[in-house]
Amino acid sequence: MIDTREIGHRAGSSRAYTRKAPAPAGFGLDMIKVPEGEPVELDLLAESVVEGVLVSGTASAQLTGECVRCLDPVSEEIEIEVRELFAYPDSATDTSTDDDEVERVVDDLIDLEPVVRDAMLLSLPSAPVCSPDCQGLCSGCGVKWAELAPEHTHETIDSRWAALQERLGGTEEEK
């Protein structure tokens, strides 16, 4: 939260903020997220403008998750740009925009959590990988392809021919 009384309502005045806030629950996607309680670092500038307060800067946090190919742990740093106008009550923005188009200053306070959460969620990789060349898991045995020999294979028999194979007693290689 930022108290706009610290900035003043005179256009052109500004104040820099550097804060750390714990990440709330559900701050991410299924495969990658900012763990609950992990600090989200904010480096912001709040500028008073005619219509409200323009907040711009960066937010960064440590992500943890799983590789979608091999399920190994993934950990990386994310830094996003934040730029949002928070309109004053009874400003011209109130009459020219819908309630959900522009964030609002409520009781001289700005709630940054929804803005930071939305920007961070949009920047998260939807399919995180441990490395770009990760080959994933063998669908037959579930072992990581990187740990298997190059000649590793599984014999697959078309289910339509399984009854014939049983009747004849195995494959040609087995005879």
Side-chain angles (χ1 to χ4, degrees):
M1 296 292 255
I2 292 178
D3 189 344
T4 60
R5 292 175 289 201
E6 296 172 350
I7 304 165
H9 289 264
R10 194 181 67 199
S13 58
S14 65
R15 181 163 180 197
Y17 292 90
T18 303
R19 297 209 174 142
K20 285 186 182 182
F27 209 71
L29 306 173
D30 289 337
M31 296 301 286
I32 194 160
K33 63 183 173 188
V34 179
E36 184 176 359
E38 183 76 21
V40 176
E41 296 180 24
L42 304 170
D43 187 15
L44 305 169
L45 177 66
E47 301 173 85
S48 184
V49 294
V50 174
E51 293 298 314
V53 177
L54 178 65
V55 177
S56 57
T58 60
S60 60
Q62 188 66 36
L63 300 173
T64 61
E66 294 178 331
C67 175
V68 295
R69 296 179 187 161
C70 69
L71 301 179
D72 275 355
V74 173
S75 180
E76 61 184 72
E77 178 91 13
I78 187 171
E79 181 173 297
I80 55 150
E81 294 288 323
V82 176
R83 182 174 303 271
E84 189 73 32
L85 173 66
F86 292 83
Y88 290 131
D90 302 322
S91 67
T93 307
D94 270 350
T95 58
S96 64
T97 60
D98 292 333
D99 287 340
D100 60 348
E101 278 186 89
V102 176
E103 297 290 330
R104 310 288 178 190
V105 175
V106 179
D107 296 329
D108 291 323
L109 298 175
I110 293 174
D111 185 6
L112 295 170
E113 182 183 333
V115 172
V116 172
R117 182 191 64 238
D118 291 350
M120 198 163 286
L121 287 176
L122 290 172
S123 298
L124 292 178
S126 59
V129 292
C130 58
S131 67
D133 60 342
C134 177
Q135 297 174 355
L137 304 175
C138 172
S139 61
C141 61
V143 177
K144 289 170 60 173
W145 278 110
E147 298 172 358
L148 295 171
E151 64 275 356
H152 176 79
T153 62
H154 292 280
E155 185 177 335
T156 56
I157 299 172
D158 191 330
S159 60
R160 296 172 290 185
W161 295 102
L164 183 58
Q165 181 182 0
E166 286 175 19
R167 182 159 181 90
L168 296 176
T171 64
E172 286 295 318
E173 291 132 11
E174 294 172 347
K175 289 185 179 181

